[in-house]
Amino acid sequence: MTDIGFIGLGIMGHGMATNLVKAGFSVTVWNRTQSKADDIIEAGAIRGQTPADVAREADIVMICVSDTPDVEAVVFGPDGVIEGVRPDSLIIDHSTISPQATQRFASIAADHGTHWIDAPISGGSEGAVNGTLTIMIGGDEEQIQRSRAYLDAIGTTITHVGPLGSGQLVKAVNQILVVVTQLAVSEALLLAEAGGLDLDSTLRAVEGGAAGSWMLSNRGPQMIDRDWRPGFTIDLQQKDLRIVLEAADELGVPLPGTAIVFQMFRALQQQGLGGDGNHALVKALERMSGIEVGSRDG
Amino acid sequence: MTDIGFIGLGIMGHGMATNLVKAGFSVTVWNRTQSKADDIIEAGAIRGQTPADVAREADIVMICVSDTPDVEAVVFGPDGVIEGVRPDSLIIDHSTISPQATQRFASIAADHGTHWIDAPISGGSEGAVNGTLTIMIGGDEEQIQRSRAYLDAIGTTITHVGPLGSGQLVKAVNQILVVVTQLAVSEALLLAEAGGLDLDSTLRAVEGGAAGSWMLSNRGPQMIDRDWRPGFTIDLQQKDLRIVLEAADELGVPLPGTAIVFQMFRALQQQGLGGDGNHALVKALERMSGIEVGSRDG
């Protein structure tokens, strides 16, 4: 059996690593804050002292950290993965990072005899805990086949979307759709509120037609109830949008809607709301206007 | 049986009036361009010479014209409906117009002893022809009951959403959702194209999750095929957005996404694309960037 490494035990990685241990694999884990590994070690994982240490123990190193510089640090920084890699090993990057940086990182890894696939995830912390993540993978089919059993332990919808970097690009496409559709729902509910409409029946009147979306039907009712608990936080969403906008900039793609949402999230972070769910986007419009969605029902 | 009048036989009204005749009702029709009434007259309708003439023949006058000034002209202008109205008659306005103007029009009509309900529609020309429109109605329950049989002849989802003007407001909410979700789909497909992704499989990879929408699943494939035939034209959509933005302005509601789409549609109209379907919104981004969605598949 292949030895597995897992680096990054945050809101997503913790559940993923736990599921790999539960599935019976030999997993060496590392996290910057070591205490976050404690319960996974108790469940049977091995503690790595550094990312390099993890790489020495594993043929496949899975990474799930926050951002492009974090991936760079744990792979190429001091005591990084690359210092310990075994020959013909594989790095699976589950982080959401720059598609272009992915190409550069994979190229340097290849110089050290190590393969790379990008495999960003969606499905939220609940999906990570339940092992029901959606995984969008870019890279060589041979390496994907090699990692299939481990991916099956953490996700249910696993799609090979194209060559290296394609997973990150599809994730970017996904995030554009998520946030601009959130903008649509936010503007719509704010006008409904200001016009004195009953928000629940308005939502029901329009969700079945051309106006309909997952966001309207799932986050709309939560917004009407002013329930801002996160499926995905503004802080993480805003970080993802920075990557999307940088990737779009390099590709020459204008994204006016996405850019507006990025600025709105930035403003909400400055107001201390970075821990709210990303559907709290509407609060940016509320604070501009003094109108509050759902406040009459509260 | 109540005598019905129908004013405005355009892309929507023509099918609606035809369905009323087919349902066996006595319908007097008028259209600015008289020849558009010819086949409905052949099917059994009576030709009115003016809107006032229609009102003299009908207890319920249904109106389906383009914009707020058009409603004002056919109701309150020379030879308008109000010059011919019977006592205790009812005007049903199916046009998409200003919610605030609706209040004013209804108030003046009341001074002439005439009731008013606002009943904007969605479902496109196909829905008008098939009698499957969604109708969002604002006004008194008594007047809605009185018109129920006639509404049933033209629509299938008929919702009383609130007092007078509420139908127009819900329609505005609907249009915000439609166009800003279209912006999401446009930006997403453009990035996917520029990044070299396979558009069909990208769409399939994301449409089932939080990124999903009616617009993505229904207009996305049409955009990938570069099929710009209208379900609803840019010209009509842009007119509706002007009404939405004016209503929002009066209510103090900021709509940054909707405002951007309005400007993009305006630019496309200037380039002669007003007759394209509203999903041709993506062409505004394409012409900014030189990237064309789906062009590699063409």
PDB file of all heavy atoms in Angstrom, chain A residues 250-272:
ATOM      1  N   GLU A 250      -4.126  37.844 -16.247  1.00  0.00           N
ATOM      2  CA  GLU A 250      -3.077  37.245 -17.089  1.00  0.00           C
ATOM      3  C   GLU A 250      -3.626  36.762 -18.428  1.00  0.00           C
ATOM      4  O   GLU A 250      -2.930  36.779 -19.435  1.00  0.00           O
ATOM      5  CB  GLU A 250      -2.408  36.069 -16.353  1.00  0.00           C
ATOM      6  CG  GLU A 250      -1.511  36.522 -15.206  1.00  0.00           C
ATOM      7  CD  GLU A 250      -0.493  35.439 -14.807  1.00  0.00           C
ATOM      8  OE1 GLU A 250       0.048  34.758 -15.699  1.00  0.00           O
ATOM      9  OE2 GLU A 250      -0.251  35.275 -13.594  1.00  0.00           O
ATOM     10  N   LEU A 251      -4.901  36.329 -18.419  1.00  0.00           N
ATOM     11  CA  LEU A 251      -5.512  35.805 -19.648  1.00  0.00           C
ATOM     12  C   LEU A 251      -6.219  36.897 -20.463  1.00  0.00           C
ATOM     13  O   LEU A 251      -6.742  36.625 -21.543  1.00  0.00           O
ATOM     14  CB  LEU A 251      -6.521  34.696 -19.302  1.00  0.00           C
ATOM     15  CG  LEU A 251      -5.926  33.386 -18.772  1.00  0.00           C
ATOM     16  CD1 LEU A 251      -7.008  32.504 -18.150  1.00  0.00           C
ATOM     17  CD2 LEU A 251      -5.222  32.630 -19.907  1.00  0.00           C
ATOM     18  N   GLY A 252      -6.266  38.123 -19.942  1.00  0.00           N
ATOM     19  CA  GLY A 252      -6.904  39.221 -20.672  1.00  0.00           C
ATOM     20  C   GLY A 252      -8.424  39.162 -20.673  1.00  0.00           C
ATOM     21  O   GLY A 252      -9.069  39.597 -21.625  1.00  0.00           O
ATOM     22  N   VAL A 253      -8.995  38.622 -19.594  1.00  0.00           N
ATOM     23  CA  VAL A 253     -10.454  38.457 -19.520  1.00  0.00           C
ATOM     24  C   VAL A 253     -11.055  39.516 -18.595  1.00  0.00           C
ATOM     25  O   VAL A 253     -10.705  39.575 -17.422  1.00  0.00           O
ATOM     26  CB  VAL A 253     -10.814  37.054 -18.979  1.00  0.00           C
ATOM     27  CG1 VAL A 253     -12.321  36.901 -18.832  1.00  0.00           C
ATOM     28  CG2 VAL A 253     -10.244  35.983 -19.890  1.00  0.00           C
ATOM     29  N   PRO A 254     -11.967  40.360 -19.099  1.00  0.00           N
ATOM     30  CA  PRO A 254     -12.622  41.345 -18.230  1.00  0.00           C
ATOM     31  C   PRO A 254     -13.740  40.688 -17.416  1.00  0.00           C
ATOM     32  O   PRO A 254     -14.587  39.995 -17.961  1.00  0.00           O
ATOM     33  CB  PRO A 254     -13.199  42.362 -19.227  1.00  0.00           C
ATOM     34  CG  PRO A 254     -13.409  41.593 -20.493  1.00  0.00           C
ATOM     35  CD  PRO A 254     -12.424  40.440 -20.496  1.00  0.00           C
ATOM     36  N   LEU A 255     -13.721  40.902 -16.090  1.00  0.00           N
ATOM     37  CA  LEU A 255     -14.737  40.316 -15.196  1.00  0.00           C
ATOM     38  C   LEU A 255     -15.356  41.419 -14.331  1.00  0.00           C
ATOM     39  O   LEU A 255     -15.093  41.493 -13.128  1.00  0.00           O
ATOM     40  CB  LEU A 255     -14.095  39.255 -14.296  1.00  0.00           C
ATOM     41  CG  LEU A 255     -13.440  38.035 -14.945  1.00  0.00           C
ATOM     42  CD1 LEU A 255     -12.848  37.117 -13.871  1.00  0.00           C
ATOM     43  CD2 LEU A 255     -14.438  37.256 -15.799  1.00  0.00           C
ATOM     44  N   PRO A 256     -16.197  42.280 -14.926  1.00  0.00           N
ATOM     45  CA  PRO A 256     -16.697  43.434 -14.153  1.00  0.00           C
ATOM     46  C   PRO A 256     -17.545  43.037 -12.946  1.00  0.00           C
ATOM     47  O   PRO A 256     -17.412  43.654 -11.885  1.00  0.00           O
ATOM     48  CB  PRO A 256     -17.514  44.222 -15.185  1.00  0.00           C
ATOM     49  CG  PRO A 256     -17.799  43.264 -16.300  1.00  0.00           C
ATOM     50  CD  PRO A 256     -16.659  42.300 -16.319  1.00  0.00           C
ATOM     51  N   GLY A 257     -18.378  42.028 -13.084  1.00  0.00           N
ATOM     52  CA  GLY A 257     -19.228  41.620 -11.957  1.00  0.00           C
ATOM     53  C   GLY A 257     -18.403  41.030 -10.828  1.00  0.00           C
ATOM     54  O   GLY A 257     -18.558  41.399  -9.656  1.00  0.00           O
ATOM     55  N   THR A 258     -17.489  40.129 -11.180  1.00  0.00           N
ATOM     56  CA  THR A 258     -16.630  39.500 -10.181  1.00  0.00           C
ATOM     57  C   THR A 258     -15.795  40.553  -9.453  1.00  0.00           C
ATOM     58  O   THR A 258     -15.604  40.469  -8.229  1.00  0.00           O
ATOM     59  CB  THR A 258     -15.699  38.473 -10.860  1.00  0.00           C
ATOM     60  OG1 THR A 258     -16.503  37.580 -11.644  1.00  0.00           O
ATOM     61  CG2 THR A 258     -14.911  37.682  -9.845  1.00  0.00           C
ATOM     62  N   ALA A 259     -15.326  41.545 -10.198  1.00  0.00           N
ATOM     63  CA  ALA A 259     -14.490  42.589  -9.606  1.00  0.00           C
ATOM     64  C   ALA A 259     -15.282  43.404  -8.583  1.00  0.00           C
ATOM     65  O   ALA A 259     -14.760  43.765  -7.518  1.00  0.00           O
ATOM     66  CB  ALA A 259     -13.938  43.495 -10.708  1.00  0.00           C
ATOM     67  N   ILE A 260     -16.538  43.700  -8.887  1.00  0.00           N
ATOM     68  CA  ILE A 260     -17.382  44.434  -7.930  1.00  0.00           C
ATOM     69  C   ILE A 260     -17.570  43.623  -6.651  1.00  0.00           C
ATOM     70  O   ILE A 260     -17.464  44.145  -5.540  1.00  0.00           O
ATOM     71  CB  ILE A 260     -18.759  44.738  -8.554  1.00  0.00           C
ATOM     72  CG1 ILE A 260     -18.632  45.906  -9.516  1.00  0.00           C
ATOM     73  CG2 ILE A 260     -19.786  45.038  -7.476  1.00  0.00           C
ATOM     74  CD1 ILE A 260     -19.949  46.317 -10.104  1.00  0.00           C
ATOM     75  N   VAL A 261     -17.854  42.342  -6.802  1.00  0.00           N
ATOM     76  CA  VAL A 261     -18.079  41.510  -5.618  1.00  0.00           C
ATOM     77  C   VAL A 261     -16.807  41.441  -4.766  1.00  0.00           C
ATOM     78  O   VAL A 261     -16.866  41.510  -3.532  1.00  0.00           O
ATOM     79  CB  VAL A 261     -18.551  40.088  -6.008  1.00  0.00           C
ATOM     80  CG1 VAL A 261     -18.694  39.214  -4.775  1.00  0.00           C
ATOM     81  CG2 VAL A 261     -19.876  40.161  -6.762  1.00  0.00           C
ATOM     82  N   PHE A 262     -15.671  41.326  -5.432  1.00  0.00           N
ATOM     83  CA  PHE A 262     -14.391  41.326  -4.715  1.00  0.00           C
ATOM     84  C   PHE A 262     -14.261  42.577  -3.847  1.00  0.00           C
ATOM     85  O   PHE A 262     -13.898  42.506  -2.666  1.00  0.00           O
ATOM     86  CB  PHE A 262     -13.242  41.259  -5.735  1.00  0.00           C
ATOM     87  CG  PHE A 262     -11.866  41.370  -5.134  1.00  0.00           C
ATOM     88  CD1 PHE A 262     -11.248  40.266  -4.575  1.00  0.00           C
ATOM     89  CD2 PHE A 262     -11.185  42.582  -5.139  1.00  0.00           C
ATOM     90  CE1 PHE A 262      -9.974  40.360  -4.029  1.00  0.00           C
ATOM     91  CE2 PHE A 262      -9.909  42.687  -4.597  1.00  0.00           C
ATOM     92  CZ  PHE A 262      -9.307  41.565  -4.037  1.00  0.00           C
ATOM     93  N   GLN A 263     -14.601  43.729  -4.427  1.00  0.00           N
ATOM     94  CA  GLN A 263     -14.493  44.982  -3.668  1.00  0.00           C
ATOM     95  C   GLN A 263     -15.496  45.008  -2.511  1.00  0.00           C
ATOM     96  O   GLN A 263     -15.197  45.512  -1.418  1.00  0.00           O
ATOM     97  CB  GLN A 263     -14.739  46.187  -4.598  1.00  0.00           C
ATOM     98  CG  GLN A 263     -13.769  46.295  -5.772  1.00  0.00           C
ATOM     99  CD  GLN A 263     -12.331  46.504  -5.360  1.00  0.00           C
ATOM    100  OE1 GLN A 263     -12.047  46.934  -4.231  1.00  0.00           O
ATOM    101  NE2 GLN A 263     -11.401  46.189  -6.237  1.00  0.00           N
ATOM    102  N   MET A 264     -16.688  44.479  -2.749  1.00  0.00           N
ATOM    103  CA  MET A 264     -17.701  44.460  -1.689  1.00  0.00           C
ATOM    104  C   MET A 264     -17.249  43.560  -0.531  1.00  0.00           C
ATOM    105  O   MET A 264     -17.393  43.912   0.648  1.00  0.00           O
ATOM    106  CB  MET A 264     -19.048  43.992  -2.258  1.00  0.00           C
ATOM    107  CG  MET A 264     -19.698  45.020  -3.182  1.00  0.00           C
ATOM    108  SD  MET A 264     -21.068  44.339  -4.194  1.00  0.00           S
ATOM    109  CE  MET A 264     -22.286  44.001  -2.928  1.00  0.00           C
ATOM    110  N   PHE A 265     -16.701  42.397  -0.869  1.00  0.00           N
ATOM    111  CA  PHE A 265     -16.187  41.501   0.183  1.00  0.00           C
ATOM    112  C   PHE A 265     -15.043  42.182   0.948  1.00  0.00           C
ATOM    113  O   PHE A 265     -14.941  42.062   2.172  1.00  0.00           O
ATOM    114  CB  PHE A 265     -15.681  40.184  -0.419  1.00  0.00           C
ATOM    115  CG  PHE A 265     -16.762  39.180  -0.712  1.00  0.00           C
ATOM    116  CD1 PHE A 265     -16.732  38.419  -1.879  1.00  0.00           C
ATOM    117  CD2 PHE A 265     -17.811  38.963   0.184  1.00  0.00           C
ATOM    118  CE1 PHE A 265     -17.718  37.472  -2.149  1.00  0.00           C
ATOM    119  CE2 PHE A 265     -18.802  38.019  -0.078  1.00  0.00           C
ATOM    120  CZ  PHE A 265     -18.747  37.278  -1.251  1.00  0.00           C
ATOM    121  N   ARG A 266     -14.195  42.910   0.213  1.00  0.00           N
ATOM    122  CA  ARG A 266     -13.066  43.596   0.850  1.00  0.00           C
ATOM    123  C   ARG A 266     -13.571  44.596   1.877  1.00  0.00           C
ATOM    124  O   ARG A 266     -13.043  44.702   2.994  1.00  0.00           O
ATOM    125  CB  ARG A 266     -12.238  44.312  -0.237  1.00  0.00           C
ATOM    126  CG  ARG A 266     -10.879  44.765   0.226  1.00  0.00           C
ATOM    127  CD  ARG A 266      -9.923  43.585   0.341  1.00  0.00           C
ATOM    128  NE  ARG A 266      -8.736  43.921   1.118  1.00  0.00           N
ATOM    129  CZ  ARG A 266      -8.669  43.822   2.445  1.00  0.00           C
ATOM    130  NH1 ARG A 266      -9.717  43.399   3.125  1.00  0.00           N
ATOM    131  NH2 ARG A 266      -7.565  44.127   3.088  1.00  0.00           N
ATOM    132  N   ALA A 267     -14.619  45.340   1.495  1.00  0.00           N
ATOM    133  CA  ALA A 267     -15.198  46.328   2.409  1.00  0.00           C
ATOM    134  C   ALA A 267     -15.769  45.631   3.650  1.00  0.00           C
ATOM    135  O   ALA A 267     -15.590  46.097   4.778  1.00  0.00           O
ATOM    136  CB  ALA A 267     -16.285  47.127   1.695  1.00  0.00           C
ATOM    137  N   LEU A 268     -16.435  44.505   3.459  1.00  0.00           N
ATOM    138  CA  LEU A 268     -17.020  43.787   4.594  1.00  0.00           C
ATOM    139  C   LEU A 268     -15.933  43.239   5.516  1.00  0.00           C
ATOM    140  O   LEU A 268     -16.091  43.245   6.745  1.00  0.00           O
ATOM    141  CB  LEU A 268     -17.931  42.657   4.096  1.00  0.00           C
ATOM    142  CG  LEU A 268     -19.198  43.137   3.377  1.00  0.00           C
ATOM    143  CD1 LEU A 268     -19.958  41.957   2.788  1.00  0.00           C
ATOM    144  CD2 LEU A 268     -20.104  43.932   4.325  1.00  0.00           C
ATOM    145  N   GLN A 269     -14.810  42.789   4.951  1.00  0.00           N
ATOM    146  CA  GLN A 269     -13.685  42.351   5.790  1.00  0.00           C
ATOM    147  C   GLN A 269     -13.202  43.495   6.678  1.00  0.00           C
ATOM    148  O   GLN A 269     -12.932  43.298   7.859  1.00  0.00           O
ATOM    149  CB  GLN A 269     -12.525  41.877   4.906  1.00  0.00           C
ATOM    150  CG  GLN A 269     -12.753  40.529   4.260  1.00  0.00           C
ATOM    151  CD  GLN A 269     -11.559  40.133   3.400  1.00  0.00           C
ATOM    152  OE1 GLN A 269     -11.093  40.903   2.573  1.00  0.00           O
ATOM    153  NE2 GLN A 269     -11.070  38.918   3.600  1.00  0.00           N
ATOM    154  N   GLN A 270     -13.104  44.684   6.095  1.00  0.00           N
ATOM    155  CA  GLN A 270     -12.635  45.849   6.857  1.00  0.00           C
ATOM    156  C   GLN A 270     -13.573  46.170   8.009  1.00  0.00           C
ATOM    157  O   GLN A 270     -13.189  46.788   8.987  1.00  0.00           O
ATOM    158  CB  GLN A 270     -12.520  47.073   5.934  1.00  0.00           C
ATOM    159  CG  GLN A 270     -11.363  47.017   4.970  1.00  0.00           C
ATOM    160  CD  GLN A 270     -10.032  46.877   5.674  1.00  0.00           C
ATOM    161  OE1 GLN A 270      -9.404  45.828   5.620  1.00  0.00           O
ATOM    162  NE2 GLN A 270      -9.610  47.929   6.366  1.00  0.00           N
ATOM    163  N   GLN A 271     -14.838  45.758   7.853  1.00  0.00           N
ATOM    164  CA  GLN A 271     -15.814  46.007   8.907  1.00  0.00           C
ATOM    165  C   GLN A 271     -15.917  44.825   9.872  1.00  0.00           C
ATOM    166  O   GLN A 271     -16.849  44.759  10.677  1.00  0.00           O
ATOM    167  CB  GLN A 271     -17.182  46.321   8.276  1.00  0.00           C
ATOM    168  CG  GLN A 271     -17.141  47.627   7.476  1.00  0.00           C
ATOM    169  CD  GLN A 271     -18.424  47.891   6.717  1.00  0.00           C
ATOM    170  OE1 GLN A 271     -19.508  47.684   7.241  1.00  0.00           O
ATOM    171  NE2 GLN A 271     -18.300  48.340   5.485  1.00  0.00           N
ATOM    172  N   GLY A 272     -14.964  43.900   9.770  1.00  0.00           N
ATOM    173  CA  GLY A 272     -14.912  42.803  10.726  1.00  0.00           C
ATOM    174  C   GLY A 272     -15.848  41.654  10.427  1.00  0.00           C
ATOM    175  O   GLY A 272     -16.122  40.824  11.294  1.00  0.00           O
TER     176      GLY A 272
END
